[in-house]
Amino acid sequence: MPVYRDEGVVLRTHKLGEADRIVTLLTRSHGKVRAVAKGVRRTGSKFGARLEPFMVADLQLYEGRSLDVINQAETLASYGALIAADYSAYTAATVMVETADKLTESEGSLQQYLLLVGALRSLSRHDHDSSLTLDSYLLRALSLAGWAPSFFDCARCQAPGPHSHTVVQLGGVVCDQCAPPGSPRLDRQTIGLLSSLLTGDWDHADASEEDTRARASGVAAAYTQWHLERGLKSLVHVSREKADT
């Protein structure tokens, strides 16, 4: 059985049998990997805690027919406990790993891996508001997957912007000629924030108002779910958390 080594961030886990777990990882070089971690649910397991969601580990794996087998795991970054201690960070991270799970496959994407690890690191350090970090991650992850939104020129005909009609099904903002009847308009501040989150202009994003962030979050969520063609189960918890604050 071939052996390989890689770095990976844990996306999700679920139980297998009496003491094992199946771990879904986004790896640096091998894309998304599903592997069995044997005995990790036993009290004396050497690396059970290293294979929890949001953890980044250096892994040695055996290649299997359907599932690989994790033989060794050494912690590279322990983001799990820091993220879990903050509800808003935890719900944001849950959406991130679910999105990464749906966007990535076995062919690998170093950029997607680095983006996710960087976003989880930022959440654990509270570098920015959790909703801003999440929305920035979503827009960038979709861009890397080939669905880059436009928040200035028309997404349909490329007419020079700025434009205010926003239609997620068409790829972002569109001009008056391309806008379907009744399509919503967004204010300049919200479009500016979306652009900043996409490009990484954190000075502008951090200075944004709460209502502007809420509108931008709605666009980012709608854009993500449209292109994934299925709902994100974890996104509802972020929405509830915002509604309760």
XYZ file of all heavy atoms in Angstrom, residues 51-148:
748
model
N -7.130 15.641 15.173
C -7.947 15.421 13.986
C -9.374 15.875 14.212
O -10.334 15.244 13.782
C -7.906 13.934 13.597
C -6.529 13.411 13.179
C -6.568 11.903 12.985
C -6.040 14.102 11.913
N -9.517 17.011 14.885
C -10.818 17.647 15.071
C -10.991 18.743 14.027
O -10.010 19.257 13.484
C -10.917 18.233 16.484
C -10.907 17.190 17.602
C -12.127 16.292 17.587
O -13.197 16.730 17.119
O -12.004 15.134 18.031
N -12.251 19.126 13.713
C -12.475 20.187 12.723
C -11.685 21.458 13.036
O -11.518 21.833 14.201
C -13.983 20.426 12.822
C -14.527 19.093 13.225
C -13.505 18.523 14.179
N -11.194 22.091 11.989
C -10.429 23.343 11.989
C -8.966 23.152 12.382
O -8.220 24.130 12.413
C -11.055 24.415 12.904
C -12.548 24.485 12.877
C -13.276 24.616 14.047
C -13.245 24.413 11.675
C -14.654 24.679 14.043
C -14.640 24.469 11.662
C -15.350 24.606 12.847
N -8.547 21.932 12.678
C -7.146 21.684 13.008
C -6.336 21.479 11.728
O -6.834 20.922 10.755
C -7.016 20.452 13.899
C -7.833 20.529 15.191
S -7.194 21.752 16.349
C -5.849 20.829 17.068
N -5.083 21.920 11.752
C -4.176 21.726 10.618
C -3.066 20.794 11.090
O -2.447 21.028 12.133
C -3.582 23.063 10.139
C -2.722 22.847 8.891
C -4.697 24.066 9.838
N -2.823 19.736 10.312
C -1.881 18.718 10.758
C -0.965 18.274 9.630
O -1.321 18.342 8.442
C -2.634 17.508 11.317
N 0.215 17.820 10.018
C 1.137 17.131 9.111
C 0.808 15.647 9.218
O 0.852 15.071 10.312
C 2.582 17.407 9.533
C 3.579 16.680 8.657
O 3.343 16.569 7.446
O 4.611 16.218 9.196
N 0.478 15.024 8.086
C -0.094 13.681 8.099
C 0.741 12.699 7.298
O 1.319 13.050 6.260
C -1.507 13.716 7.500
C -2.494 14.682 8.141
C -3.592 15.035 7.165
C -3.073 14.078 9.417
N 0.771 11.477 7.782
C 1.264 10.362 6.983
C 0.101 9.416 6.761
O -0.582 9.026 7.717
C 2.404 9.620 7.681
C 2.944 8.443 6.866
C 4.134 7.777 7.521
O 5.205 8.355 7.579
N 3.937 6.568 8.031
N -0.157 9.064 5.501
C -1.317 8.249 5.169
C -0.926 7.081 4.280
O 0.019 7.167 3.496
C -2.382 9.086 4.440
C -2.886 10.347 5.138
C -2.173 11.567 4.573
C -4.397 10.507 4.971
N -1.689 6.006 4.419
C -1.610 4.878 3.504
C -2.739 5.029 2.484
O -3.882 5.289 2.858
C -1.781 3.554 4.242
C -0.641 3.201 5.160
C -0.771 3.355 6.543
C 0.551 2.710 4.655
C 0.271 3.026 7.398
C 1.604 2.381 5.502
C 1.453 2.543 6.866
O 2.488 2.220 7.703
N -2.428 4.843 1.237
C -3.426 4.955 0.178
C -4.260 3.684 0.115
O -3.736 2.578 -0.035
C -2.731 5.196 -1.162
C -3.676 5.514 -2.302
C -2.915 5.836 -3.568
O -1.932 6.599 -3.481
O -3.296 5.301 -4.632
N -5.585 3.828 0.240
C -6.489 2.688 0.186
C -7.349 2.708 -1.055
O -7.284 3.634 -1.868
N -8.172 1.691 -1.223
C -9.022 1.606 -2.414
C -10.116 2.665 -2.410
O -10.339 3.342 -3.402
C -9.656 0.209 -2.498
C -8.658 -0.896 -2.848
C -9.371 -2.214 -3.016
N -8.442 -3.284 -3.390
C -8.812 -4.544 -3.589
N -10.091 -4.897 -3.434
N -7.900 -5.451 -3.923
N -10.824 2.782 -1.302
C -11.890 3.777 -1.199
C -11.585 4.849 -0.162
O -11.898 6.023 -0.357
C -13.221 3.095 -0.865
O -13.116 2.368 0.345
N -10.972 4.446 0.927
C -10.592 5.374 1.987
C -9.117 5.175 2.313
O -8.652 4.043 2.419
C -11.425 5.130 3.250
C -12.921 5.422 3.193
C -13.585 4.928 4.465
C -13.182 6.906 2.989
N -8.392 6.274 2.460
C -7.015 6.170 2.921
C -7.002 5.941 4.433
O -8.045 6.038 5.096
C -6.241 7.441 2.551
C -6.086 7.603 1.045
O -6.429 6.649 0.315
O -5.635 8.667 0.605
N -5.840 5.661 4.974
C -5.707 5.405 6.410
C -4.645 6.346 6.974
O -3.527 6.417 6.451
C -5.303 3.944 6.689
C -5.131 3.725 8.196
C -6.345 2.984 6.134
N -5.021 7.076 8.022
C -4.078 7.987 8.666
C -3.216 7.203 9.641
O -3.723 6.570 10.573
C -4.822 9.112 9.403
C -5.666 9.931 8.416
C -3.831 10.029 10.131
C -6.577 10.943 9.076
N -1.919 7.256 9.419
C -0.978 6.529 10.269
C -0.347 7.422 11.327
O -0.112 6.998 12.460
C 0.110 5.894 9.412
C 1.045 5.016 10.213
O 0.602 4.219 11.032
N 2.343 5.168 9.983
N -0.068 8.679 10.950
C 0.527 9.631 11.876
C -0.117 10.996 11.663
O -0.527 11.339 10.555
C 2.037 9.756 11.654
C 2.831 8.509 11.952
C 4.315 8.691 11.678
O 4.781 9.767 11.360
N 5.070 7.603 11.792
N -0.164 11.787 12.725
C -0.691 13.157 12.646
C 0.027 14.016 13.673
O 0.014 13.705 14.867
C -2.191 13.174 12.900
N 0.653 15.076 13.205
C 1.317 16.037 14.080
C 0.699 17.414 13.861
O 0.540 17.865 12.725
C 2.821 16.098 13.775
C 3.562 14.793 14.025
C 3.566 14.378 15.487
O 3.448 15.277 16.356
O 3.685 13.169 15.761
N 0.337 18.081 14.951
C -0.334 19.367 14.855
C 0.585 20.437 14.277
O 1.717 20.620 14.740
C -0.831 19.824 16.231
O -1.740 18.848 16.748
C -1.532 21.172 16.141
N 0.071 21.141 13.264
C 0.772 22.304 12.712
C 0.143 23.603 13.196
O 0.844 24.594 13.402
C 0.738 22.255 11.178
C 1.519 21.121 10.509
C 1.328 21.184 8.996
C 2.998 21.190 10.862
N -1.162 23.605 13.343
C -1.878 24.794 13.818
C -3.126 24.341 14.552
O -3.946 23.603 14.007
C -2.245 25.708 12.658
N -3.259 24.776 15.793
C -4.369 24.351 16.638
C -5.403 25.475 16.729
O -5.419 26.250 17.686
C -3.852 23.982 18.031
O -4.889 23.512 18.843
N -6.257 25.570 15.709
C -7.260 26.634 15.672
C -8.574 26.211 16.317
O -9.411 27.052 16.637
C -7.539 27.052 14.228
C -6.322 27.546 13.476
C -6.077 27.136 12.166
C -5.420 28.416 14.069
C -4.968 27.597 11.465
C -4.300 28.876 13.378
C -4.085 28.455 12.077
O -2.988 28.899 11.394
N -8.788 24.903 16.482
C -10.093 24.404 16.903
C -10.593 24.988 18.202
O -11.713 25.498 18.278
N -9.797 24.933 19.264
C -10.246 25.385 20.578
C -10.499 26.888 20.593
O -11.479 27.363 21.190
C -9.216 25.010 21.639
N -9.629 27.659 19.952
C -9.800 29.117 19.925
C -11.059 29.516 19.166
O -11.780 30.434 19.579
C -8.572 29.762 19.269
C -7.259 29.635 20.035
C -6.094 30.122 19.180
C -7.326 30.433 21.334
N -11.331 28.833 18.067
C -12.538 29.142 17.290
C -13.789 28.703 18.043
O -14.789 29.431 18.100
C -12.457 28.471 15.906
C -11.397 29.175 15.053
C -13.809 28.486 15.199
C -11.110 28.514 13.723
N -13.754 27.508 18.643
C -14.934 26.985 19.338
C -15.316 27.827 20.539
O -16.472 27.804 20.981
C -14.681 25.546 19.767
N -14.379 28.592 21.088
C -14.660 29.420 22.264
C -15.470 30.664 21.926
O -15.962 31.341 22.825
C -13.346 29.826 22.933
N -15.627 30.981 20.644
C -16.363 32.164 20.207
C -17.455 31.695 19.246
O -17.163 31.184 18.169
C -15.409 33.135 19.519
C -16.080 34.434 19.099
O -17.129 34.373 18.416
O -15.557 35.518 19.414
N -18.723 31.912 19.627
C -19.819 31.366 18.814
C -19.822 31.917 17.399
O -20.015 31.173 16.429
C -21.170 31.646 19.483
C -22.333 31.070 18.705
C -22.569 29.698 18.710
C -23.168 31.895 17.967
C -23.630 29.160 17.985
C -24.221 31.366 17.235
C -24.451 30.009 17.258
O -25.496 29.477 16.524
N -19.622 33.210 17.239
C -19.655 33.796 15.899
C -18.507 33.270 15.043
O -18.670 33.000 13.847
C -19.614 35.326 15.974
O -18.417 35.773 16.585
N -17.328 33.090 15.660
C -16.202 32.524 14.926
C -16.472 31.064 14.578
O -16.153 30.605 13.473
C -14.920 32.643 15.744
N -17.071 30.327 15.510
C -17.353 28.910 15.277
C -18.342 28.720 14.123
O -18.137 27.873 13.252
C -17.903 28.270 16.544
C -18.315 26.834 16.364
C -17.359 25.823 16.317
C -19.653 26.493 16.219
C -17.733 24.494 16.131
C -20.039 25.175 16.032
C -19.073 24.188 15.986
O -19.447 22.877 15.787
N -19.425 29.495 14.128
C -20.407 29.340 13.055
C -19.821 29.769 11.714
O -20.104 29.157 10.682
C -21.693 30.135 13.360
O -21.361 31.512 13.623
C -22.410 29.562 14.570
N -19.000 30.812 11.710
C -18.346 31.233 10.469
C -17.411 30.140 9.949
O -17.398 29.815 8.757
C -17.575 32.531 10.692
N -16.624 29.553 10.851
C -15.697 28.487 10.448
C -16.445 27.278 9.918
O -15.992 26.618 8.970
C -14.824 28.089 11.639
N -17.598 26.979 10.500
C -18.386 25.841 10.045
C -18.860 26.046 8.610
O -18.849 25.111 7.797
C -19.586 25.617 10.984
O -19.113 25.418 12.315
C -20.397 24.406 10.564
N -19.269 27.272 8.292
C -19.661 27.573 6.909
C -18.463 27.458 5.969
O -18.566 26.931 4.857
C -20.284 28.978 6.813
C -20.598 29.331 5.352
C -21.562 29.063 7.636
N -17.316 27.930 6.414
C -16.110 27.869 5.582
C -15.743 26.432 5.213
O -15.488 26.126 4.046
C -14.937 28.520 6.318
C -15.022 30.014 6.445
S -13.606 30.621 7.410
C -14.043 32.342 7.578
N -15.705 25.545 6.216
C -15.284 24.175 5.919
C -16.336 23.443 5.092
O -15.994 22.598 4.255
C -14.929 23.390 7.204
C -13.718 24.004 7.888
C -16.102 23.303 8.173
N -17.619 23.769 5.284
C -18.653 23.152 4.447
C -18.504 23.628 3.000
O -18.636 22.837 2.053
C -20.050 23.476 4.970
C -21.137 22.770 4.171
C -22.552 23.105 4.609
O -22.719 23.831 5.616
O -23.495 22.649 3.935
N -18.215 24.908 2.822
C -18.003 25.441 1.479
C -16.789 24.802 0.820
O -16.835 24.387 -0.350
C -17.820 26.971 1.533
O -18.976 27.567 2.124
C -17.617 27.551 0.137
N -15.695 24.699 1.567
C -14.488 24.064 1.032
C -14.760 22.619 0.646
O -14.267 22.128 -0.377
C -13.359 24.139 2.055
N -15.548 21.930 1.452
C -15.890 20.539 1.172
C -16.625 20.418 -0.161
O -16.389 19.493 -0.948
C -16.750 20.005 2.319
C -16.930 18.497 2.277
O -16.292 17.835 1.436
O -17.709 17.976 3.087
N -17.517 21.369 -0.441
C -18.318 21.296 -1.666
C -17.584 21.830 -2.889
O -17.896 21.449 -4.023
C -19.629 22.058 -1.460
C -20.545 21.390 -0.442
C -21.871 22.112 -0.294
C -22.783 21.357 0.660
N -24.103 22.005 0.834
N -16.607 22.700 -2.685
C -15.902 23.306 -3.815
C -14.731 22.475 -4.315
O -14.343 22.582 -5.477
C -15.375 24.696 -3.429
C -16.344 25.869 -3.452
C -15.625 27.131 -2.997
C -16.920 26.072 -4.842
N -14.141 21.671 -3.445
C -12.882 21.011 -3.784
C -13.077 19.527 -4.033
O -13.963 18.894 -3.470
C -11.853 21.185 -2.659
O -12.409 20.708 -1.434
C -11.496 22.655 -2.497
N -12.216 18.995 -4.879
C -12.230 17.570 -5.167
C -10.811 17.028 -5.059
O -9.909 17.690 -4.578
C -12.831 17.321 -6.559
C -14.299 17.707 -6.684
C -15.218 16.952 -5.721
O -14.855 15.834 -5.304
O -16.286 17.480 -5.380
N -10.603 15.821 -5.561
C -9.340 15.136 -5.323
C -8.174 15.663 -6.154
O -7.028 15.318 -5.886
C -9.509 13.636 -5.587
O -9.941 13.421 -6.914
N -8.438 16.498 -7.172
C -7.318 16.964 -7.997
C -6.424 17.962 -7.275
O -5.291 18.190 -7.653
C -7.823 17.584 -9.301
C -8.597 18.892 -9.146
C -10.082 18.684 -8.954
O -10.476 17.520 -8.731
O -10.837 19.665 -9.013
N -6.919 18.563 -6.226
C -6.077 19.439 -5.415
C -6.116 20.888 -5.858
O -6.259 21.194 -7.035
N -6.011 21.770 -4.906
C -5.934 23.198 -5.173
C -5.164 23.848 -4.035
O -5.701 24.025 -2.936
C -7.324 23.827 -5.289
O -7.219 25.244 -5.361
N -3.905 24.162 -4.282
C -3.082 24.788 -3.254
C -3.690 26.118 -2.827
O -3.695 26.447 -1.638
C -1.660 24.997 -3.784
C -0.699 25.748 -2.860
C -0.528 25.012 -1.532
C 0.656 25.943 -3.544
N -4.218 26.884 -3.770
C -4.796 28.187 -3.435
C -5.999 28.041 -2.514
O -6.166 28.821 -1.569
C -5.176 28.932 -4.710
C -3.982 29.408 -5.520
C -4.409 30.110 -6.791
O -5.174 29.570 -7.602
N -3.941 31.314 -6.976
N -6.873 27.070 -2.777
C -8.026 26.851 -1.897
C -7.558 26.440 -0.505
O -8.113 26.889 0.507
C -8.958 25.783 -2.479
C -9.728 26.211 -3.721
C -10.926 27.107 -3.416
O -11.123 27.547 -2.280
N -11.717 27.392 -4.429
N -6.545 25.610 -0.430
C -6.012 25.174 0.861
C -5.455 26.358 1.644
O -5.788 26.559 2.817
C -4.925 24.121 0.644
C -4.176 23.765 1.904
C -4.730 22.903 2.851
C -2.909 24.295 2.168
C -4.049 22.580 4.016
C -2.223 23.974 3.331
C -2.800 23.121 4.248
O -2.131 22.814 5.417
N -4.628 27.159 0.992
C -4.019 28.300 1.675
C -5.071 29.329 2.084
O -4.968 29.944 3.152
C -2.966 28.945 0.767
C -1.731 28.094 0.458
C -0.835 28.806 -0.547
C -0.968 27.762 1.733
N -6.089 29.525 1.246
C -7.153 30.468 1.577
C -7.896 30.017 2.827
O -8.153 30.817 3.737
C -8.121 30.597 0.399
C -9.327 31.515 0.628
C -8.888 32.971 0.776
C -10.335 31.380 -0.516
N -8.257 28.737 2.891
C -8.999 28.242 4.050
C -8.163 28.314 5.322
O -8.642 28.771 6.364
C -9.451 26.799 3.802
C -10.213 26.142 4.959
C -11.474 26.919 5.292
C -10.540 24.694 4.631
N -6.917 27.894 5.258
C -6.053 27.944 6.440
C -5.880 29.383 6.912
O -5.935 29.676 8.116
C -4.689 27.284 6.155
C -3.716 27.530 7.300
C -4.861 25.782 5.923
N -5.681 30.307 5.979
C -5.546 31.715 6.344
C -6.800 32.278 6.978
O -6.728 33.059 7.946
N -7.977 31.887 6.464
C -9.237 32.369 7.030
C -9.450 31.814 8.436
O -9.898 32.536 9.339
C -10.394 31.988 6.114
N -9.145 30.542 8.654
C -9.283 29.957 9.986
C -8.307 30.599 10.966
O -8.652 30.845 12.132
C -9.053 28.448 9.916
C -10.105 27.642 9.155
C -9.684 26.180 9.052
C -11.481 27.756 9.811
N -7.094 30.871 10.501
C -6.122 31.560 11.358
C -6.646 32.931 11.761
O -6.547 33.336 12.932
C -4.790 31.698 10.625
C -3.700 32.377 11.461
C -2.476 32.713 10.628
N -1.928 31.537 9.980
C -1.866 31.354 8.672
N -2.323 32.291 7.846
N -1.343 30.250 8.175
N -7.202 33.659 10.811
C -7.743 34.990 11.100
C -8.888 34.920 12.098
O -8.973 35.742 13.019
C -8.212 35.645 9.796
O -8.726 36.935 10.032
N -9.765 33.922 11.951
C -10.862 33.758 12.911
C -10.329 33.474 14.310
O -10.816 34.034 15.288
C -11.770 32.612 12.473
C -12.807 32.871 11.391
C -13.572 31.588 11.090
C -13.766 33.987 11.770
N -9.339 32.615 14.409
C -8.814 32.240 15.719
C -8.145 33.412 16.415
O -8.120 33.480 17.649
C -7.825 31.077 15.576
O -6.618 31.486 14.971
N -7.600 34.341 15.635
C -6.919 35.508 16.198
C -7.848 36.710 16.363
O -7.437 37.736 16.893
C -5.762 35.911 15.281
C -4.640 34.892 15.186
C -3.594 35.344 14.180
N -2.464 34.441 14.093
C -1.451 34.573 13.237
N -1.450 35.590 12.385
N -0.472 33.704 13.222
N -9.079 36.605 15.873
C -10.028 37.715 15.907
C -9.454 38.947 15.199
O -9.598 40.079 15.682
C -10.426 38.060 17.343
C -10.966 36.887 18.109
N -12.194 36.319 17.855
C -10.414 36.146 19.106
C -12.394 35.301 18.677
N -11.320 35.170 19.438
N -8.802 38.711 14.055
C -8.220 39.823 13.301
C -9.280 40.800 12.815
O -9.038 42.009 12.747
C -7.445 39.288 12.087
C -6.184 38.550 12.470
O -5.686 38.779 13.591
O -5.699 37.741 11.662
N -10.454 40.279 12.458
C -11.554 41.089 11.938
C -12.861 40.528 12.479
O -12.889 39.442 13.072
C -11.570 41.068 10.393
C -10.239 41.306 9.767
N -9.669 42.566 9.683
C -9.338 40.451 9.207
C -8.492 42.474 9.094
N -8.274 41.206 8.801
N -13.934 41.246 12.270
C -15.246 40.723 12.630
C -15.465 39.398 11.899
O -15.127 39.251 10.718
C -16.328 41.731 12.239
C -17.707 41.265 12.651
O -18.093 41.510 13.801
O -18.398 40.660 11.805
N -16.040 38.428 12.587
C -16.200 37.095 12.000
C -17.008 37.110 10.714
O -16.704 36.358 9.775
C -16.862 36.158 13.019
O -16.041 35.975 14.143
N -18.039 37.960 10.659
C -18.859 38.006 9.445
C -18.070 38.535 8.260
O -18.244 38.063 7.122
C -20.108 38.868 9.679
O -19.761 40.233 9.864
N -17.172 39.479 8.497
C -16.338 40.002 7.413
C -15.371 38.931 6.913
O -15.179 38.761 5.706
C -15.555 41.222 7.890
C -16.345 42.482 8.224
C -15.400 43.568 8.745
C -17.115 42.989 7.021
N -14.762 38.208 7.848
C -13.838 37.143 7.463
C -14.556 36.073 6.657
O -14.043 35.583 5.642
C -13.193 36.518 8.705
O -12.538 37.536 9.467
C -12.176 35.459 8.322
N -15.748 35.697 7.097
C -16.531 34.689 6.377
C -16.881 35.157 4.978
O -16.678 34.422 3.999
C -17.804 34.367 7.161
C -18.836 33.503 6.434
C -18.238 32.152 6.047
C -20.088 33.334 7.291
N -17.414 36.366 4.857
C -17.846 36.851 3.542
C -16.665 37.000 2.593
O -16.766 36.694 1.396
C -18.588 38.180 3.682
C -19.903 38.027 4.436
O -20.433 36.901 4.465
O -20.386 39.019 5.012
N -15.543 37.454 3.110
C -14.346 37.551 2.282
C -13.915 36.166 1.808
O -13.572 35.973 0.625
C -13.209 38.212 3.066
O -12.032 38.292 2.301
N -13.940 35.194 2.709
C -13.576 33.826 2.320
C -14.501 33.303 1.222
O -14.034 32.717 0.231
C -13.623 32.886 3.523
C -13.507 31.446 3.096
C -12.273 30.895 2.761
C -14.648 30.656 2.941
C -12.168 29.589 2.302
C -14.547 29.352 2.487
C -13.315 28.827 2.166
O -13.214 27.547 1.694
N -15.801 33.483 1.386
C -16.753 32.966 0.409
C -16.507 33.563 -0.976
O -16.465 32.837 -1.981
C -18.186 33.257 0.859
C -18.676 32.527 2.119
C -20.070 32.997 2.496
C -18.659 31.016 1.928
N -16.349 34.875 -1.045
C -16.149 35.533 -2.340
C -14.833 35.095 -2.984
O -14.765 34.858 -4.195
C -16.177 37.049 -2.160
C -17.522 37.644 -1.697
C -17.362 39.131 -1.402
C -18.611 37.423 -2.749
N -13.795 34.949 -2.179
C -12.494 34.549 -2.729
C -12.480 33.081 -3.135
O -11.884 32.718 -4.162
C -11.396 34.810 -1.693
C -11.141 36.283 -1.432
C -9.995 36.438 -0.457
N -9.703 37.838 -0.179
C -8.615 38.238 0.458
N -7.722 37.372 0.887
N -8.402 39.520 0.679
N -13.115 32.229 -2.332
C -13.158 30.807 -2.667
C -13.909 30.580 -3.976
O -13.488 29.769 -4.809
C -13.812 30.020 -1.525
N -15.006 31.293 -4.161
C -15.750 31.170 -5.414
C -14.934 31.696 -6.591
O -14.982 31.136 -7.687
C -17.077 31.913 -5.300
C -18.115 31.252 -4.393
C -19.241 32.218 -4.083
C -18.663 29.977 -5.025
N -14.185 32.761 -6.360
C -13.333 33.305 -7.415
C -12.286 32.282 -7.847
O -12.040 32.088 -9.040
C -12.654 34.591 -6.945
O -13.610 35.599 -6.683
N -11.658 31.620 -6.872
C -10.669 30.597 -7.188
C -11.289 29.424 -7.936
O -10.620 28.758 -8.735
C -10.005 30.092 -5.908
C -9.085 31.078 -5.180
C -8.598 30.468 -3.870
C -7.890 31.445 -6.051
N -12.577 29.167 -7.677
C -13.273 28.070 -8.344
C -13.757 28.455 -9.742
O -14.338 27.627 -10.446
C -14.460 27.614 -7.491
N -13.521 29.720 -10.147
C -13.901 30.147 -11.487
C -15.146 30.997 -11.558
O -15.628 31.295 -12.654
N -15.671 31.413 -10.419
C -16.894 32.216 -10.383
C -16.630 33.577 -9.734
O -17.291 33.962 -8.772
C -17.990 31.488 -9.607
C -18.378 30.181 -10.227
C -18.687 29.939 -11.529
C -18.502 28.921 -9.545
N -19.012 28.615 -11.712
C -18.899 27.967 -10.516
C -18.317 28.510 -8.230
C -19.108 26.625 -10.208
C -18.522 27.170 -7.913
C -18.919 26.254 -8.889
N -15.677 34.294 -10.235
C -15.332 35.603 -9.664
C -16.456 36.598 -9.915
O -16.844 36.822 -11.065
C -14.028 36.109 -10.267
